[in-house]
Amino acid sequence: MIAQVIVDVVHTNVDRLFSYLIPEGMELEAGVRVEVPLGKRRVDGFVIDLTEEDDLPEDLPLHKLRPVIRRLDEYPALLPALITLARQLADENHCPLSETLRLMIPAAMRTGRIQRKLETVAQLLPGVDAEKEAAAMKRAPKRAMLLRLLSDGQPHAVSQLSQLVANPRDGLKPLQELGLIQLCEQEVFRSPYQAEDEERSSAPPLTADQQEALCGMLPALEKGEGAFLLHGVTGSGKTEVYLAMASRTLEMGKGAIILVPEIALTPQMVRWFRNRFGPATAVLHSRLTDGQRYDEWRRIRLGEARVVVGARSAIFAPVERLGLIVIDEEHEQTYLSDKFPRYDARRVAALRCANEKASLILSSATPSILSFAMARRGDYTLVEMPRRVGNRPLPEVTVVDMRKELEAGNRSIFSALLIRKLKACLDSGNQAMLFLNRRGYNTFVSCRSCGYVVKCAQCDLSMTLHRHGEDDPGQLRCHMCGSVLPPPETCPECGSKYIRYFGSGTQRVEEEMHKLFPQVTTVRMDIDTTRGRDAHARLLEQFRKGKAQVLIGTQMIAKGLDFPKVTLVGVVAADMTLNLPDYRSVERTFQLVTQVAGRAGRAQYPGEVVVQSYKPDHPCIEAAARQDYRAFFEMEFSRRRAGLYPPFTMLTRLLVESPEENCCKETAQQLFEEMQRYLDGNPAQKKKTLMLRMDEAPVKRIRGQYRYHVLMKLFDHPDARPILRRLSELAATEKDRCQIYCEVNPATMM
Ligand code: ADP
Ligand code: ZN
Ligand code: ZN
């Protein structure tokens, strides 16, 4: 037999199968990782296929083949279904197969940086009567104690015994010599769980909406089919539906993957699953240590864990006999990968479900325009949960016109109404949350005389003031590259002293809050306060335990939170996302306001929401205040149709980055002309092209790299596919001192 191997080197030159001899005595199967010779090097590779010697092409005689050097793992790292998936993704993304295969295993495993962890365990030998032997050891109390601890016949880790008996090895060695126990090395899995995760709980009686949703989806689950869009208002109890579906999946002997936007932000989700399914649950996300990730991955691969809760990349978890994929908060941008290959986890989920005969559930209180449109077209079955658990009312939302506040002489960042409601909420002993989608203190610094705005020297972006308290002069920070500057005392352009600070961030909100309510305790959650591995969980726990009365954060950090005592939510500046230069800004604003409002009044006390805006009449703010998804969808869908935006069209671009501006611009210009020539030669493709343009990117420079792009707007039509292929071919060409990226409907167009 011959092993067909993809070498783990990302380059188009080696993007094909290489044939190797399988040496005498080596067992190989598809999916196994191996070490193979490649030219003068030794590289890792994946066995993709085994073929007969007769299948070798004419020009590759058997004696020319070199043998596989060694097998790397004792089990195949890649499941057949994941090899198929990698092939499809390489095809769709026009990238080498080795690049998509890499998505399927933990990075630390590929580089060999991480190894299995072994631990010494002690176990009573079969047939030994521990009690009798212990009773006979009157003069060796430590040995007697150890024998009693081991009397259950189970293996016990020596490290754990040492918590009960000092220096257990002193006693274990003689017991082993006496032939009573055995000591051996056993693998242990590094665990990311906390004590609370290990409590057990059972399902509550389901609400009518939950039952109805399950009735709609269980028959498909049992047949291994179906794609659903679960649209349930905030607090309708969607998690319980995932738990019930996962539970049935396990009963059927199958496995499930539950994707959440950013797991470190939703520790509650892990807890709910772990409490229900115990060690059958695994988690995969970016905040695990390499060891934890490797071990969780292997618990899944070896079939010990069959329910995976994880962030985007968990969509590639090696779950065998997959029965269900759930994508929670499916509208979130985090499901679009920002690294190459740029996959969309929702698309990957759909492929996996179709390949492996599993059911798919996309779920959200505010589905993306694309998914809801697909449900209307019949691509997904729409399942709705219109009521909150226990028929709790949706929170009452008041929109405050901030222009009127200014007219009335209120220059604070809080409106009179928000201050009044905060006072009432805090006086009654409840909790409040305040959201602002910008961190730092002031969001930009500008000269009143000449209009100069302080920008980062490396990036074309204004810098944000960060400071701690009144006396701290603070520092200016670039949110793109992290570089810092002391705040200027005079204008660097004209020397004027009229340097002023504008706009507010979360630090400012916290400071104003303390001025208004000096005795009230707060926690602030934004990127600045949550850098450590456990910082998120720690801050949320503080708030949950009531150690702080007010949580202040960026909206990004506030998804999926469920705090029973929160009765008031304030959106400090709803316009911040509305003003972003992106066709999705309206959708984002609606989602943020609705989701954030949904954090209030989730238990017995009704919730109130105050939304502050300079554009209170904007239809998207009005629809969000009414939490009327349908109205918002209809409005936004027709706006997209009229403006020919996605999902009616595709926005694609070739982004060119270079440390030299001229070089960057010239390359972009060449690419532009190349595409023009291509379209002139291909009339069918030209007809599907609405726009072709070359421009400076909206952010002209990032980390010292100049940026230009060739933008295209295409009809989403089969005739447009060859254009995408041409674009990715162009992106793969080597250009001096330039990087070229091909992006299709990217998460941002910065
Ligand atoms: P959603 O994700 O739809 O916003 P959650 O799944 O977070 O809502 O549920 C909201 C709250 O209702 C949670 O505290 C949850 O424990 C509770 N809950 C869900 N289902 C039930 C039920 N059937 N009976 C009682 N409480 C429930
Ligand atoms: Zn100036
Ligand atoms: Zn910068």
Side-chain angles (χ1 to χ4, degrees):
M1 293 292 259
I2 309 292
Q4 301 294 340
V5 173
I6 288 283
V7 295
D8 191 9
V9 176
V10 173
H11 201 286
T12 42
N13 286 345
V14 292
D15 185 25
R16 60 184 175 85
L17 287 169
F18 287 87
S19 304
Y20 291 93
L21 286 176
I22 304 177
E24 200 70 36
M26 190 188 284
E27 295 272 330
L28 287 185
E29 55 194 298
V32 170
R33 293 193 314 136
V34 287
E35 192 179 14
V36 291
L38 181 73
K40 290 200 181 84
R41 290 193 292 163
R42 294 166 146 226
V43 295
D44 289 356
F46 299 97
V47 177
I48 296 297
D49 210 354
L50 296 181
T51 51
E52 301 291 337
E53 290 163 13
D54 306 344
D55 297 341
L56 281 176
E58 295 270 308
D59 57 340
L60 191 67
L62 196 59
H63 70 267
K64 278 204 171 171
L65 295 190
R66 300 164 75 185
V68 171
I69 298 169
R70 65 188 179 107
R71 181 181 167 131
L72 291 173
D73 317 294
E74 63 267 41
Y75 51 87
L78 296 172
L79 295 174
L82 292 178
I83 298 179
T84 309
L85 183 69
R87 281 214 160 103
Q88 289 167 321
L89 292 177
D91 220 39
E92 285 191 1
N93 292 292
H94 314 291
C95 69
L97 182 53
S98 55
E99 201 172 344
T100 53
L101 285 172
R102 282 184 177 181
L103 296 169
M104 311 292 161
I105 58 172
M109 176 174 179
R110 262 189 52 238
T111 52
R113 256 184 298 140
I114 205 88
Q115 297 298 330
R116 296 190 307 165
K117 188 173 169 190
L118 295 173
E119 205 175 63
T120 314
V121 295
Q123 189 170 17
L124 203 65
L125 283 168
V128 175
D129 184 338
E131 196 42 52
K132 203 174 110 216
E133 298 288 345
M137 286 186 192
K138 294 229 161 56
R139 270 183 296 161
K142 184 187 264 186
R143 292 183 212 171
M145 169 101 154
L146 284 165
L147 272 177
R148 292 200 171 98
L149 287 169
L150 297 177
S151 62
D152 60 1
Q154 297 299 311
H156 290 260
V158 174
S159 63
Q160 246 151 30
L161 292 174
S162 71
Q163 290 173 5
L164 306 166
V165 183
N167 302 322
R169 276 173 203 277
D170 300 349
L172 291 170
K173 268 270 174 265
L175 288 174
Q176 185 187 26
E177 281 154 18
L178 286 168
L180 298 174
I181 65 160
Q182 60 173 352
L183 290 173
C184 57
E185 295 289 299
Q186 205 179 58
E187 174 170 15
V188 284
F189 292 104
R190 283 150 286 200
S191 155
Y193 305 101
Q194 292 159 359
E196 290 99 324
D197 300 339
E198 303 308 323
E199 288 157 20
R200 295 307 287 264
S201 70
S202 50
L206 297 179
T207 66
D209 276 2
Q210 285 168 337
Q211 268 167 8
E212 210 173 301
L214 285 171
C215 279
M217 298 190 288
L218 280 171
L221 183 72
E222 275 155 25
K223 282 191 230 137
E225 60 182 34
F228 299 93
L229 177 62
L230 177 60
H231 175 213
V233 297
T234 54
S236 57
K238 295 186 285 294
T239 316
E240 204 50 57
V241 174
Y242 315 157
L243 286 162
M245 290 292 281
S247 171
R248 184 75 196 103
T249 308
L250 286 182
E251 281 167 21
M252 289 158 50
K254 295 187 174 183
I257 298 175
I258 318 297
L259 284 195
V260 291
E262 173 49 86
I263 209 158
L265 312 181
T266 45
Q268 284 164 303
M269 189 65 93
V270 176
R271 188 157 302 164
W272 277 326
F273 274 82
R274 194 82 187 167
N275 291 168
R276 193 69 56 86
F277 302 117
T281 315
V283 305
L284 287 175
H285 59 82
S286 58
R287 295 212 176 194
L288 301 182
T289 63
D290 280 349
Q292 290 170 341
R293 192 172 315 115
Y294 179 55
D295 285 353
E296 286 293 276
W297 184 88
R298 270 172 339 113
R299 287 201 315 117
I300 302 164
R301 177 63 192 87
L302 301 173
E304 190 180 312
R306 289 184 299 140
V307 181
V308 180
V309 182
R312 180 177 65 222
S313 61
I315 195 62
F316 302 111
V319 176
E320 241 169 325
R321 285 175 57 67
L322 184 68
L324 173 71
I325 298 180
V326 176
I327 302 191
D328 185 37
E329 314 281 3
E330 68 85 25
H331 61 277
E332 286 291 342
Q333 292 308 305
T334 51
Y335 291 125
L336 295 170
S337 169
D338 47 7
K339 298 185 206 80
F340 287 91
R342 289 214 165 143
Y343 64 90
D344 178 344
R346 289 162 294 201
R347 167 80 191 137
V348 180
L351 283 172
R352 264 198 97 165
C353 284
N355 292 346
E356 300 174 51
K357 303 215 167 2
S359 307
L360 174 65
I361 303 176
L362 302 181
S363 171
S364 176
T366 52
S368 61
I369 293 289
L370 178 62
S371 296
F372 202 81
M374 284 172 74
R376 276 221 313 204
R377 208 169 64 185
D379 296 343
Y380 302 130
T381 309
L382 186 64
V383 175
E384 293 187 283
M385 302 201 345
R387 282 169 295 263
R388 284 188 152 185
V389 172
N391 263 324
R392 279 163 211 148
L394 280 169
E396 192 161 315
V397 180
T398 316
V399 182
V400 178
D401 185 342
M402 290 306 276
R403 295 167 304 188
K404 295 220 176 92
E405 293 290 313
L406 206 59
E407 278 168 29
N410 177 8
R411 311 197 60 160
S412 147
I413 56 176
F414 298 127
S415 60
L417 183 78
L418 184 53
I419 294 173
R420 209 161 59 235
K421 300 236 174 193
L422 268 171
K423 186 165 185 325
C425 166
L426 298 174
D427 284 350
S428 65
N430 287 321
Q431 291 179 305
M433 292 183 177
L434 294 176
F435 294 103
L436 181 65
N437 220 359
R438 188 71 188 231
R439 64 202 173 90
Y441 192 85
N442 287 113
T443 53
F444 64 101
V445 186
S446 141
C447 169
R448 290 280 274 253
S449 309
C450 74
Y452 173 81
V453 173
V454 181
K455 287 188 175 181
C456 171
Q458 296 296 310
C459 313
D460 177 43
L461 286 171
S462 62
M463 297 187 83
T464 300
L465 180 72
H466 287 246
R467 66 176 218 191
H468 305 280
E470 300 264 80
D471 314 322
D472 178 14
Q475 54 177 202
L476 297 178
R477 259 189 235 164
C478 171
H479 285 183
M480 184 63 74
C481 72
S483 55
V484 293
L485 269 184
E489 276 163 27
T490 56
C491 172
E493 272 301 284
C494 73
S496 147
K497 281 199 208 110
Y498 292 101
I499 270 279
R500 287 289 180 272
Y501 292 80
F502 298 93
S504 2
T506 44
Q507 281 189 347
R508 172 94 194 276
V509 172
E510 189 174 37
E511 196 175 298
E512 297 280 310
M513 183 70 214
H514 285 161
K515 270 191 219 152
L516 281 168
F517 304 98
Q519 70 288 24
V520 166
T521 45
T522 56
V523 276
R524 195 179 92 229
M525 284 188 70
D526 51 33
I527 305 176
D528 301 312
T529 63
T530 53
R531 283 185 209 278
R533 195 174 291 284
D534 303 317
H536 268 286
R538 208 179 53 243
L539 292 175
L540 289 176
E541 209 48 35
Q542 258 179 19
F543 190 58
R544 173 179 310 283
K545 293 212 173 106
K547 291 198 184 124
Q549 273 190 289
V550 183
L551 176 79
I552 296 164
T554 45
Q555 279 115 315
M556 298 308 175
I557 278 164
K559 41 198 162 203
L561 299 179
D562 186 35
F563 293 111
K565 286 195 77 182
V566 170
T567 57
L568 177 68
V569 165
V571 179
V572 179
D575 313 299
M576 223 164 243
T577 32
L578 200 52
N579 293 333
L580 292 177
D582 188 313
Y583 73 92
R584 282 160 298 201
S585 62
V586 175
E587 183 178 2
R588 296 269 160 78
T589 308
F590 178 82
Q591 286 162 351
L592 286 174
V593 174
T594 314
Q595 291 284 348
V596 157
R599 301 308 118 214
R602 292 169 72 87
Q604 62 265 47
Y605 323 101
E608 280 184 297
V609 181
V610 176
V611 176
Q612 304 190 145
S613 169
Y614 287 92
K615 290 179 182 166
D617 317 322
H618 193 289
C620 117
I621 303 247
E622 285 187 332
R626 281 183 280 120
Q627 309 197 37
D628 186 345
Y629 178 80
R630 289 291 180 127
F632 157 73
F633 175 82
E634 296 303 341
M635 171 189 98
E636 182 60 10
F637 195 65
S638 41
R639 192 184 70 90
R640 299 263 182 104
R641 180 169 22 223
L644 288 170
Y645 289 114
F648 297 94
T649 55
M650 288 187 286
L651 284 175
T652 69
R653 69 169 177 176
L654 288 175
L655 175 68
V656 185
E657 290 192 347
S658 168
E660 282 167 55
E661 184 166 16
N662 278 340
C663 171
C664 185
K665 189 172 179 181
E666 268 164 36
T667 303
Q669 182 64 30
Q670 281 166 15
L671 293 170
F672 169 75
E673 285 162 16
E674 188 71 42
M675 279 319 287
Q676 257 182 339
R677 269 198 300 280
Y678 170 82
L679 291 179
D680 287 340
N682 295 276
Q685 276 68 52
K686 192 168 186 172
K687 256 177 50 197
K688 299 298 167 209
T689 306
L690 282 157
M691 177 189 87
L692 170 64
R693 230 174 45 207
M694 198 280 282
D695 268 321
E696 246 174 20
V699 182
K700 283 182 287 194
R701 203 149 71 108
I702 293 182
R703 293 186 185 86
Q705 299 281 319
Y706 287 90
R707 310 168 79 240
Y708 277 80
H709 62 196
V710 178
L711 258 179
M712 292 188 82
K713 198 164 170 178
L714 310 171
F715 278 115
D716 195 351
H717 184 276
D719 279 353
R721 301 280 152 205
I723 305 180
L724 298 182
R725 189 161 284 278
R726 184 73 199 121
L727 285 171
S728 55
E729 278 166 14
L730 287 175
T733 53
E734 307 258 337
K735 292 274 182 192
D736 207 21
R737 284 162 299 157
C738 286
Q739 281 289 333
I740 310 171
Y741 305 95
C742 173
E743 301 178 330
V744 181
N745 289 336
T748 70
M749 273 282 190
M750 278 194 312

